[in-house]
Amino acid sequence: MIEVTGNDIKDLSDIDLRSLIGLLCEAELLANNIPTAGVTWGGHQNARDGGIDVRVEIAATLKKDNYIPNSKTGFQVKKPDMPRAEIINEMRPNGKLREAIKKLINDGGAYIIVSSQGSTADSALEHRKDAMREAIADCLNASNAKLDFYDRERIAGWVRSHPSMIFWVRDKVG
């Protein structure tokens, strides 16, 4: 059987990782009979993106335990691991929360950081989420924000839930 593991995710380029997250969002919506027009990503990988690489903005309601936890969800996609200091710096460059993240949180959306190098144990995952909560603490609706961190193992799990994406990943990593 063809399988995808966290090591396969780790081997993706920055560009392929961002494309993978966008394609997974589309696959997730299609699996739930929701149009994919609300999934956006693109441009140069290193272009200024305001802290969001892949955006999902749809009218439909999603299941709460979905990989896309909210009808307004922003994904920041990073190849390197993102420990606490990196997370805070990414979300708050020069000590100021990025406007795109602030708007997403104030609109009741979700913000997820994706790292293809990170492989986090449960306690490390909680530390990363704590850093994310710290980064938005001065945001109006911080207490209601849905924040998460997807490491390479979680991304691999998401890929495995959409078998066609397994072939896409395997093709990209050779």
Side-chain angles (χ1 to χ4, degrees):
M1 183 171 149
I2 297 177
E3 186 67 38
V4 166
T5 68
N7 285 334
D8 296 314
I9 302 303
K10 181 178 156 188
D11 291 341
L12 291 171
S13 71
D14 280 342
I15 294 166
D16 288 341
L17 179 63
R18 183 178 58 161
S19 294
L20 174 62
I21 299 304
L23 291 167
L24 282 169
C25 288
E26 288 181 351
E28 197 72 33
L29 295 182
L30 285 172
N32 288 283
N33 296 315
I34 299 170
T36 62
V39 179
T40 57
W41 82 94
H44 190 275
Q45 177 63 21
N46 295 323
R48 290 181 167 205
D49 57 27
I52 297 177
D53 288 313
V54 177
R55 180 182 296 274
V56 176
E57 193 159 337
I58 56 173
T61 303
L62 297 165
K63 295 177 185 175
K64 296 290 184 201
D65 56 354
N66 200 312
Y67 282 102
I68 305 171
N70 191 294
S71 59
K72 292 181 180 182
T73 300
F75 293 88
Q76 178 62 36
V77 182
K78 295 289 189 184
K79 187 163 176 70
D81 193 9
M82 297 289 290
R84 180 187 179 284
E86 301 282 333
I87 287 170
I88 292 173
N89 188 49
E90 174 61 36
M91 293 176 72
R92 298 185 71 90
N94 302 313
K96 186 172 187 232
L97 184 62
R98 291 181 185 270
E99 285 300 317
I101 298 171
K102 184 186 297 184
K103 181 173 179 357
L104 187 64
I105 298 305
N106 285 335
D107 288 347
Y111 181 73
I112 298 169
I113 294 177
V114 175
S115 168
S116 66
Q117 299 301 302
S119 180
T120 57
D122 191 55
S123 60
L125 174 61
E126 278 310 307
H127 290 308
R128 282 165 173 78
K129 288 183 187 179
D130 287 344
M132 294 174 77
R133 284 189 282 274
E134 181 182 331
I136 66 160
D138 60 351
C139 195
L140 182 62
N141 294 313
S143 61
N144 297 327
K146 171 62 176 163
L147 304 170
D148 212 336
F149 183 91
Y150 291 179
D151 69 357
R152 65 182 183 229
E153 299 303 333
R154 211 144 157 216
I155 301 164
W158 193 2
V159 168
R160 290 189 298 268
S161 70
H162 298 285
S164 64
M165 295 305 304
I166 293 172
F167 295 104
W168 187 92
V169 170
R170 299 297 291 174
D171 179 61
K172 295 297 179 183
V173 298

